[in-house]
Every structure is written in structure tokens, then in C-alpha cells.
């Protein structure tokens, strides 16, 4: 079994990197893509799993993000992440203030964070009980994301020199970008998957599958076989 979109505690998953690798080994995963949400991954070796590490960057285009795997310059990618965070400080702070409505966690944690980012806000949403996991938190943050995140093309231009860029999709809508391939995380609909396969063949894109897995505690099952 292969799964190319999982997350660890670094981006509000439920397990550490080492525990996630052990969990995947016990459950028959042969290939694993750990793509942290706009933060650098903890890179650990695995003797039993072909694992690749990367970063998922959200775009303003709903249902689409870019994932950078096989990073060749971690320092430069960190600079890109920090730059995106810095440009979004004021807008993310203002949006967060409306969500938390004067709560103590906002005043003591979110507002006082030196460099605010989505992972801090997501953690606060989960800790306050607004939602149970990363997915539901991102749904709350979707209006902010649509208004403040870069376009797919802007992200591609930022990332393309620093590894292999994949487009994550949830539907059969595949924007025409010169990416390495596509990671499909939508429903397992045979007709939809056949359509995606055909588009990928025509554009010579590699097709991978991911579960968008982040939280074992909510009953989500790891694994999205191809």
C-alpha cells in the first residue's frame, strides 16, 4: 500500500515522525509521503518503507495545493516559508481575532506568537475545541486562505527550483502546470479516477494517491493505494 500525503505532529497530525513510520510499517505501507503543512519535516530514515519528505503549500485556489518533495535546499525552502508567513502576519492576526473572539488562548498564545503561521492557529482551534483535527480547522480558515494565499502559479514559481513539485487535487479539475505529477486525495470514485488517469497520461504527469491523513484519533485510515 502507498500513501503520499500524511502529516505528523509538526503540522497538527497525531503522531511524531518516528511513531508515524512505525505505525505505517505495522500496517503494510510500502511507500509513504510525509508532507508537513508549510513547515519543514523531520527527516528520519526507514529500512522498511520508501519514504519521501516534503512540504505542502496551500494556495488561494480551493481544493488545490502544491507539495514539494525531494527538497534539495532546506535552508532556502525555510526562507520561502518564513517569507510567506511574514507577509501574512497582519491579515492572519486579524482573521484569528474574529475567530477566537477575545479568548484567553488568542490573547496569550496566538497574539503573542512572534511569527504567526497557520499551524499555530490550527493548534489553537483544536485546543479550544472549535474542531477536532487539521482538516476541520482548515475548513474554518478557508475564507482566510482563499483571500490571502498565493496562486498556484506564484507558488510553482517559488518552489520549482528546490525539488519535485506535485499538485494536490481533490476533484478531477487539474490546472495546467508544469509539475512533476498529481497527488489525488479525493473520493475513490472509479469514473473520476479514470478521468484523472487519462488527463495525466495526456500531460505526461505522474499520478500518486494520498489519504490527506493527519489524525489517527478521528478514525481516519492511513493508506490510499494506487
Amino acid at each position: 500500500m502507498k500513501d503520499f500525503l500524511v502529516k505528523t505532529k509538526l503540522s497538527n497530525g497525531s503522531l511524531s515522525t518516528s511513531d508515524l513510520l512505525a505505525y505505517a510499517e505495522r500496517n503494510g505501507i510500502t511507500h509513504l509521503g510525509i508532507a508537513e503543512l508549510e513547515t519543514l519535516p523531520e527527516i528520519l530514515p526507514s529500512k522498511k518503507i520508501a519514504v519521501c519528505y516534503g512540504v505542502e503549500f496551500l494556495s488561494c485556489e480551493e481544493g488545490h495545493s502544491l507539495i514539494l518533495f525531494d527538497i534539495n535546499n532546506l535552508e532556502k525552502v525555510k526562507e520561502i516559508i518564513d517569507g510567506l508567513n511574514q507577509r501574512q502576519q497582519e491579515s492572519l492576526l486579524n482573521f484569528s481575532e474574529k475567530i477566537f473572539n477575545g479568548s484567553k488562548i488568542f490573547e496569550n498564545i496566538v497574539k503573542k506568537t512572534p511569527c504567526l503561521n497557520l499551524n499555530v492557529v490550527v493548534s489553537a482551534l483544536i485546543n479550544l475545541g472549535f474542531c477536532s483535527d487539521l482538516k476541520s480547522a482548515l475548513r474554518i480558515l478557508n475564507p482566510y486562505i482563499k483571500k490571502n494565499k498565493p496562486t498556484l502559479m506564484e507558488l510553482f514559481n517559488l518552489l520549482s527550483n528546490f525539488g519535485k513539485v506535485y499538485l494536490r487535487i481533490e476533484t478531477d479539475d487539474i490546472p495546467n502546470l508544469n509539475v512533476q505529477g498529481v497527488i489525488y486525495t479525493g473520493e475513490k470514485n472509479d469514473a473520476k479516477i479514470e478521468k484523472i488517469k487519462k488527463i495525466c497520461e495526456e500531460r505526461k504527469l505522474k499520478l500518486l494517491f494520498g489519504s490527506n491523513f493527519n489524525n489517527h484519533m478521528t478514525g481516519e485510515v492511513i493508506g490510499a493505494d494506487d
Side-chain angles (χ1 to χ4, degrees), residues 17-34:
T17 306
S18 58
D19 286 343
L20 179 59
L21 289 175
Y23 181 95
E25 288 178 7
R26 292 196 305 270
N27 286 273
I29 302 295
T30 59
H31 296 71
L32 192 66
I34 298 177

Side-chain angles (χ1 to χ4, degrees), residues 1-179:
M1 187 175 284
K2 305 173 184 179
D3 193 324
F4 288 93
L5 188 53
V6 299
K7 290 176 170 57
T8 75
K9 281 185 174 179
L10 289 176
S11 50
N12 291 287
S14 61
L15 295 176
S16 67
T17 306
S18 58
D19 286 343
L20 179 59
L21 289 175
Y23 181 95
E25 288 178 7
R26 292 196 305 270
N27 286 273
I29 302 295
T30 59
H31 296 71
L32 192 66
I34 298 177
E36 305 294 4
L37 179 64
E38 300 188 357
T39 192
L40 291 179
E42 177 189 19
I43 298 174
L44 298 177
S46 173
K47 294 180 179 179
K48 297 182 179 179
I49 297 176
V51 57
C52 51
Y53 292 92
V55 181
E56 179 179 14
F57 292 84
L58 300 182
S59 79
C60 64
E61 297 165 49
E62 191 171 356
H64 297 85
S65 61
L66 291 185
I67 297 173
L68 183 69
F69 278 133
D70 296 339
I71 298 171
N72 59 42
N73 189 330
L74 287 170
E75 187 174 317
K76 182 61 182 179
V77 173
K78 185 179 185 304
E79 286 180 16
I80 291 172
I81 294 169
D82 289 346
L84 291 171
N85 288 335
Q86 287 290 348
R87 288 197 292 273
Q88 295 166 13
Q89 291 297 288
E90 186 176 353
S91 57
L92 183 54
L93 186 64
N94 291 337
F95 189 84
S96 300
E97 188 168 16
K98 293 175 184 176
I99 293 175
F100 294 111
N101 194 25
S103 72
K104 289 183 179 179
I105 285 188
F106 173 78
E107 293 295 332
N108 295 334
I109 299 177
V110 178
K111 195 172 182 179
K112 293 181 179 178
T113 301
C115 187
L116 192 60
N117 58 50
L118 279 180
N119 283 313
V120 172
V121 179
V122 168
S123 293
L125 283 169
I126 294 171
N127 291 336
L128 269 178
F130 280 72
C131 49
S132 60
D133 63 6
L134 174 60
K135 288 181 181 178
S136 53
L138 289 179
R139 281 194 290 270
I140 293 174
L141 288 163
N142 191 52
Y144 164 81
I145 292 167
K146 289 173 70 174
K147 187 175 180 181
N148 294 282
K149 285 296 182 179
T151 65
L152 285 171
M153 183 56 73
E154 288 170 337
L155 280 175
F156 181 77
N157 290 337
L158 275 173
L159 303 174
S160 56
N161 291 326
F162 304 107
K164 295 178 180 177
V165 181
Y166 288 82
L167 172 69
R168 182 189 66 85
I169 59 172
E170 296 175 353
T171 69
D172 53 19
D173 174 24
I174 306 179
N176 196 5
L177 286 173
N178 189 28
V179 292

